Amino acid sequence: MASKINWENLNKMQNFAKLKEFKGTVSLAEKLGGKNGAARVAECSIPMSSGLTYNYAAKQVDSSIISTFKALVKEDQLLEKFAALYNGEVVNTGENRLVLHQLTRGQLGNDVMADGVNKRKFYVNEQKKIAAFANKVHAGEIVNEKGEPFTDVCQIGIGGSDLGPRAIYLALENWAKANKTFKMTAHFISNVDPDDGAAVLNSIDLAHTIFILVSKSGTTLETLTNESFVKNFLKKAGLDASKHMIAVTSETSPLAKSPDYLEAFFMDDYIGGRYSSSSGVGGAVLSLAFGPKVFDRFLKGAAAEDINATNPDVTKNPALMDALIGMYERNILGYPSTAVLPYSQALSRFPAHLQQLDMESNGKSVNRFGKKISYVTGPVIFGEPGTNGQHSFYQLLHQGTNIVPLQFIGFKKSQCGKDVTIQGSTSQKKLCANVVAQIMAFACGKQDADPNKSFAGERPSSIIWGEQLTPESMGALLAHFENKIMFQGFLWNINSFDQEGVQLGKKLAKAVLSHETDGALKAYSDIFGI
């Protein structure tokens, strides 16, 4: 299949050039503000899995633009490129690696053989090992050195080993408690700042906590430093660290067969950190916190959304449509950033995860062959839950000089089922009313004789909505954005699966700690007494 695919820069595509003709041709005020607004909302809805719907009615696209999108998908072979990825071709050109995170939750295409093993079977086996371990902990068969049960779990990791699992844990914590599947309270230590580790360790019951060290290589400086920090706390508390720690790592890392851990679970180089939440990186902490069955439901939601991403019809493929609109906004309309705005407190850390997922993947200025590109790529991603954001940065979003595309997420029902009616509506209804109002306010604006109270409108947004945030819908949300980012990387002809941009700072930090500095680097080091 690789020989049939042409990996070309976006500006080589005839249909990309055609898209430039449509700039400024779609008015959101006209599309949504008139009598045909309801029909527009209906026709711009794409069903997702797990009860979710992606709606792009408030985006600056029409049938002519979408028709060009369809032609671009064929011209740029986007679905063929996705098939090459999930069938095990080397898509990560920077590191000469396969990209297999979809395999951790399902089988889209052919069996993938690598390193002499069937990778799908490998991932399933590791999930089974994690499930068995978690079940033994919950049953009291695995206990601390005093024979007492574990009540808490704490993950030690950074970047993709923290942001995704933490976001998903917070997303499902209330749901698990309401549905009586909550097993253990989870905590996370990520920052090498000792105040972070101390704050967590001082707030938990060390004697009844399992610690998960997550490091694929077993050499990540921040993570190993935090491991030593935790072990020191355990030692001072008179506890045997080897009875409290497990590892998620690669089979070749120094952590794999160490007596310092109760158990080790394995991943491999084909699962990038920011794409690892559906692997053992997320599986261990989420299975311990909520039970393996809940984690399995999460995986099923992600797998179902991966299948949606293979649909060749753009109007039935939510991740592909989202990616194309995002490219159009970035490369044709010139919008530099995107705000992710979940109207769900449970998704409070999901924007932070998407920030890493998107910006670490598509923050590139050379193509997949190392050649400089002449067009912009990944946007700046930021966000906060609504309605908090409305009282923070929405002022700039409504009336600032830059137009920022918006990605709303909302649910009809809360997770906990507890609410109160005040002034004729519940808290959840008020939350939903706010997201509906914001979509229309951004799109249509408001004219006023006082320029300070005038809103230009024409601020585009999309929304993903569903009945309730559940394990399945959380998995579907994660897969949707992973696949959107993948498709955009294909469009921009960049490698979305390496991250050389994080390496230079690490190397310089080692030089500083080794006192191998001079000039300005030494001067800055001296400020901190290093």
Side-chain angles (χ1 to χ4, degrees):
M1 180 174 287
S3 61
K4 298 179 182 179
I5 294 177
N6 294 314
W7 298 91
E8 296 285 352
N9 286 359
L10 179 62
N11 59 355
K12 300 292 185 182
M13 300 293 144
Q14 293 181 358
N15 287 287
F16 174 67
K18 187 175 180 180
L19 283 174
K20 297 177 183 179
E21 301 172 9
F22 299 112
K23 182 176 181 179
T25 60
V26 177
S27 167
L28 293 177
E30 292 178 5
K31 292 290 185 183
L32 292 178
K35 61 181 180 180
N36 294 322
R40 166 80 174 180
V41 173
E43 71 185 18
C44 294
S45 288
I46 305 179
M48 298 171 62
S49 66
S50 310
L52 297 177
T53 298
Y54 170 73
N55 187 282
Y56 60 96
K59 288 292 192 179
Q60 293 159 319
V61 297
D62 60 12
S63 58
S64 296
I65 294 171
I66 292 172
S67 179
T68 309
F69 282 169
K70 292 179 178 180
L72 178 59
V73 167
K74 292 182 179 179
E75 181 185 11
D76 207 7
Q77 300 173 287
L78 297 183
L79 275 302
E80 290 88 345
K81 289 172 181 177
F82 185 23
L85 182 151
Y86 62 68
N87 281 317
E89 296 194 24
V90 177
V91 175
N92 179 353
T93 50
E95 297 171 314
N96 195 32
R97 290 174 181 168
L98 288 67
V99 177
L100 300 181
H101 55 275
Q102 273 95 0
L103 269 183
T104 62
R105 60 228 190 191
Q107 182 78 49
L108 285 174
N110 304 327
D111 283 348
V112 176
M113 301 297 296
D115 306 324
V117 301
N118 181 307
K119 297 310 294 185
R120 172 61 181 156
K121 291 181 179 178
F122 170 77
Y123 299 139
V124 168
N125 184 58
E126 291 305 309
Q127 289 164 8
K128 288 180 178 178
K129 284 170 53 182
I130 289 170
F133 180 85
N135 285 331
K136 288 180 180 179
V137 171
H138 299 152
E141 297 175 28
I142 295 176
V143 293
N144 69 6
E145 62 265 58
K146 294 182 180 180
E148 299 167 338
F150 290 107
T151 59
D152 291 51
V153 55
C154 181
Q155 181 127 317
I156 307 168
I158 197 165
S161 300
D162 169 75
L163 287 165
R166 188 195 296 250
I168 296 162
Y169 171 77
L170 292 174
L172 298 179
E173 182 179 17
N174 279 336
W175 180 91
K177 289 176 178 177
N179 288 272
K180 303 187 186 309
T181 65
F182 189 83
K183 306 292 185 182
M184 303 171 73
T185 301
H187 314 270
F188 298 85
I189 298 174
S190 59
N191 200 330
V192 76
D193 183 343
D195 289 341
D196 179 31
V200 173
L201 296 175
N202 284 329
S203 68
I204 63 177
D205 183 354
L206 293 173
H208 300 94
T209 300
I210 288 181
F211 293 87
I212 307 172
L213 185 73
V214 182
S215 176
K216 183 159 52 180
S217 66
T219 61
T220 307
L221 180 61
E222 296 98 328
T223 300
L224 295 183
T225 300
N226 279 332
E227 179 195 25
S228 296
F229 193 85
V230 168
K231 285 183 174 178
N232 189 50
F233 257 76
L234 291 170
K235 182 178 180 180
K236 289 181 177 179
L239 300 169
D240 181 354
S242 68
K243 303 296 184 182
H244 287 260
M245 303 194 82
I246 64 175
V248 177
T249 188
S250 68
E251 291 179 292
T252 57
S253 92
L255 311 179
K257 297 180 180 179
S258 171
D260 292 341
Y261 306 99
L262 284 166
E263 186 65 85
F265 305 106
F266 301 125
M267 52 180 170
D268 56 39
D269 287 336
Y270 311 126
I271 309 294
R274 57 193 176 277
Y275 295 96
S276 66
S277 293
S278 53
S279 74
V281 173
V285 65
L286 296 172
S287 295
L288 284 167
F290 305 134
K293 290 182 180 179
V294 172
F295 183 64
D296 187 61
R297 290 176 61 178
F298 164 79
L299 295 179
K300 283 182 168 61
E305 202 53 40
D306 285 338
I307 292 172
N308 278 344
T310 66
N311 196 313
D313 185 344
V314 172
T315 62
K316 296 179 181 178
N317 187 326
L320 184 55
M321 179 66 83
D322 202 359
L324 289 159
I325 292 173
M327 176 277 296
Y328 180 73
E329 290 174 335
R330 186 77 177 103
N331 296 94
I332 304 298
L333 301 181
Y335 302 150
S337 57
T338 297
V340 179
L341 308 171
Y343 275 62
S344 167
Q345 188 61 29
L347 292 174
S348 60
R349 291 298 290 168
F350 195 49
H353 171 58
L354 296 184
Q355 187 177 63
Q356 185 205 11
L357 185 65
D358 201 315
M359 295 173 70
E360 195 168 82
S361 294
N362 290 341
K364 309 289 175 65
S365 56
V366 298
N367 69 13
R368 58 190 292 104
F369 306 112
K371 303 296 184 181
K372 186 75 175 176
I373 51 179
S374 59
Y375 45 83
V376 295
T377 56
V380 173
I381 304 294
F382 69 97
E384 284 289 332
T387 59
N388 296 33
Q390 293 177 202
H391 297 270
S392 175
F393 52 81
Y394 277 37
Q395 169 60 44
L396 184 146
L397 300 184
H398 276 292
Q399 293 182 307
T401 53
N402 278 333
I403 292 179
V404 179
L406 315 168
Q407 173 68 75
F408 291 105
I409 304 171
F411 300 93
K412 293 171 68 174
K413 298 178 181 178
S414 66
Q415 291 178 312
C416 62
K418 297 177 181 179
D419 209 338
V420 62
T421 299
I422 296 178
Q423 297 180 355
S425 61
T426 64
S427 301
Q428 187 67 22
K429 291 290 186 184
K430 290 179 174 67
L431 182 69
C432 294
N434 271 277
V435 69
V436 168
Q438 290 295 330
I439 291 171
M440 291 301 293
F442 281 116
C444 299
K446 180 181 75 74
Q447 299 302 311
D448 196 288
D450 181 351
N452 196 49
K453 296 181 180 180
S454 186
F455 296 79
E458 301 301 328
R459 313 267 165 151
S461 69
S462 60
I463 184 168
I464 295 175
W465 64 273
E467 285 290 317
Q468 187 184 53
L469 183 57
T470 64
E472 289 86 353
S473 59
M474 187 65 235
L477 272 177
L478 180 78
H480 171 86
F481 285 102
E482 288 180 347
N483 293 327
K484 169 192 174 180
I485 290 162
M486 170 198 68
F487 281 129
Q488 288 185 330
F490 291 160
L491 282 162
W492 289 318
N493 198 30
I494 57 180
N495 180 12
S496 301
F497 306 106
D498 65 2
Q499 55 284 327
E500 290 301 321
V502 306
Q503 302 302 325
L504 178 58
K506 287 183 178 182
K507 292 179 180 178
L508 288 175
K510 289 181 179 179
V512 170
L513 292 170
S514 301
H515 303 288
E516 299 171 358
T517 59
D518 56 19
L521 187 59
K522 184 178 187 305
Y524 281 119
S525 302
D526 290 344
I527 291 173
F528 291 97
I530 301 172

